[in-house]
Amino acid sequence: MRTLTFVIGTGRSGSTALSRILNAHPDVLSLNEFMASVGDAAFPDGKVSGTEFWQSLFRPAPHFERMIRSGVPLPEFLYTRRPGRYAAETTGIPALSLMVLPHLTDDPDGLLDELGAAVVPWPERTAAEHHQALFGLLCARFGRSAVVERSGYSTGWAPGLRAAFPHARFVHMFRDGPDCALSMSRHPGYRTISLLREIKARAGIDSFADLTDDHVRSLPADLSPLLAERFDPALVLDRDMPLRTFGSLWSELVTDGTEFLRRLPDDQRTTLAYEDLLDRPAEELTRLAEFIGVDPLTQWLRTSAARLDHSRRGSARRLSAAEFDELRKSCAPGTRVLEERQAGAGEKGRGRP
């Protein structure tokens, strides 16, 4: 029986390395940044045809296209490192091609063609049924038996994924708050996320679908250009952004992830702390493999440990005392939630809420 697992969390928590580790397991189909790539557009209400479903996977993600055109590509954009027939300046880069397919193959264009030929003729059905069929198609293509989707900044999708896939398993991955928040502050994606959140707050909207021209005209001159098809990268990269902004974001995300996991049955939930993974890679990966339903192969465990980077641990403590104290205070609400979760685990064992 094929299993489906979602790794949710803040991002900047070692989760990209985890995707690479899982991809090296011969039984795991590692869907790297699938939800970040296709988003809510791939989960419309009601039934959709194969053609409509394929368009939701093929259509370029507008926000990522703007970042590429503006000279702010993310390090996670694998396709732009080895470009093929698609480009943001001309054709647009299909959503699946940017991060998902290059993680699976050295020929993402060929795999995209192969998937499109198979998916377009599919009959009408719900988006969840289409996704299950897509996962099955990819498992058959690569000879895998367990599907693991992992996206950064993904806690917001968790309730919808739970509704679409009620039997799915969830892993909440997290990292020390100050270290994670500091990493966010240096990442162009999280700097952009923070600025877009500020735009929504200033406009008083929950979704950019509700943004009007009047809203845009009311924004400061250093924010409104970010909504254009192309913007000055200095608006993101060179802006002075307080570290506490990212500490608060980290706290919000780990609180949301912890609360979501708390509502799940025991056999559909677990946690993974990045620091535990660094300290006990074989033990933690064995536990993770058993949770997602594959064997913890000896050779896989041995080679996986070498993929982990210990050098960034404790990075926040290299800040000045004042900066670290400010960052630690902004992370305090999230840290408290994680400590309470750990204390509440009691005899259920490490890694279980």
Side-chain angles (χ1 to χ4, degrees), residues 30-308:
S30 174
L31 295 179
N32 175 61
E33 305 281 8
F34 180 85
M35 284 305 302
S37 299
V38 304
D40 294 333
F43 288 87
D45 294 332
K47 293 185 176 183
V48 294
S49 67
T51 298
E52 291 168 321
F53 177 63
W54 179 247
Q55 281 303 309
S56 71
L57 306 178
F58 185 88
R59 189 181 302 114
H63 51 294
F64 289 150
E65 294 282 290
R66 286 196 296 271
M67 294 185 76
I68 295 170
R69 285 193 296 266
S70 302
V72 196
L74 303 187
E76 292 83 358
F77 292 171
L78 300 179
Y79 191 88
T80 57
R81 297 184 196 174
R82 297 177 60 183
R85 78 169 78 116
Y86 300 101
E89 293 285 359
T90 53
T91 58
I93 300 173
L96 274 187
S97 297
L98 193 56
M99 296 180 282
V100 181
L101 300 187
H103 181 69
L104 298 173
T105 176
D106 290 333
D107 182 19
D109 288 348
L111 182 55
L112 186 76
D113 292 343
E114 185 181 330
L115 292 176
V119 171
V120 167
W122 283 353
E124 279 197 351
R125 49 188 163 188
T126 65
E129 290 169 333
H130 276 301
H131 277 89
Q132 291 283 22
L134 176 68
F135 300 158
L137 181 65
L138 285 167
C139 280
R141 169 68 166 73
F142 289 99
R144 310 299 172 101
S145 59
V147 180
V148 181
E149 193 281 337
R150 195 282 317 167
S151 291
Y153 192 66
S154 52
T155 55
W157 283 304
L161 293 172
R162 167 71 172 157
F165 309 106
H167 300 295
R169 306 168 190 187
F170 288 85
V171 180
H172 181 209
M173 187 172 187
F174 51 84
R175 177 186 179 189
D176 172 76
D179 284 356
C180 189
L182 179 61
S183 181
M184 288 177 175
S185 76
R186 296 169 173 173
H187 188 277
Y190 283 84
R191 292 175 70 84
T192 302
I193 285 169
S194 181
L195 295 170
L196 294 177
R197 284 163 58 95
E198 182 179 349
I199 287 174
K200 288 199 291 187
R202 285 176 176 268
I205 58 173
D206 294 324
S207 168
F208 278 106
D210 299 324
L211 192 71
T212 66
D213 290 341
D214 286 340
H215 287 140
V216 175
R217 283 191 289 270
S218 70
L219 293 171
D222 62 344
L223 284 179
S224 56
L226 296 174
L227 301 171
E229 289 303 306
R230 191 187 301 269
F231 55 83
D232 181 354
L235 291 173
V236 173
L237 302 179
D238 298 342
R239 184 188 299 257
D240 183 22
M241 302 180 71
L243 287 176
R244 63 179 178 273
T245 299
F246 300 95
S248 297
L249 176 59
W250 177 85
S251 284
E252 177 185 325
L253 295 176
V254 297
T255 299
D256 289 347
T258 300
E259 176 60 23
F260 169 77
L261 221 67
R262 187 186 64 79
R263 298 191 295 268
L264 298 180
D266 284 352
D267 61 351
Q268 289 181 258
R269 62 179 180 176
T270 194
T271 61
L272 180 62
Y274 180 55
E275 289 73 23
D276 288 347
L277 186 59
L278 293 179
D279 290 341
R280 299 178 294 276
E283 181 180 341
E284 290 300 292
L285 290 174
T286 294
R287 184 174 64 83
L288 179 64
E290 291 171 348
F291 178 75
I292 65 179
V294 298
D295 292 331
L297 304 173
T298 302
Q299 181 62 25
W300 175 69
L301 292 174
R302 184 179 300 118
T303 57
S304 295
R307 297 174 182 268
L308 296 169

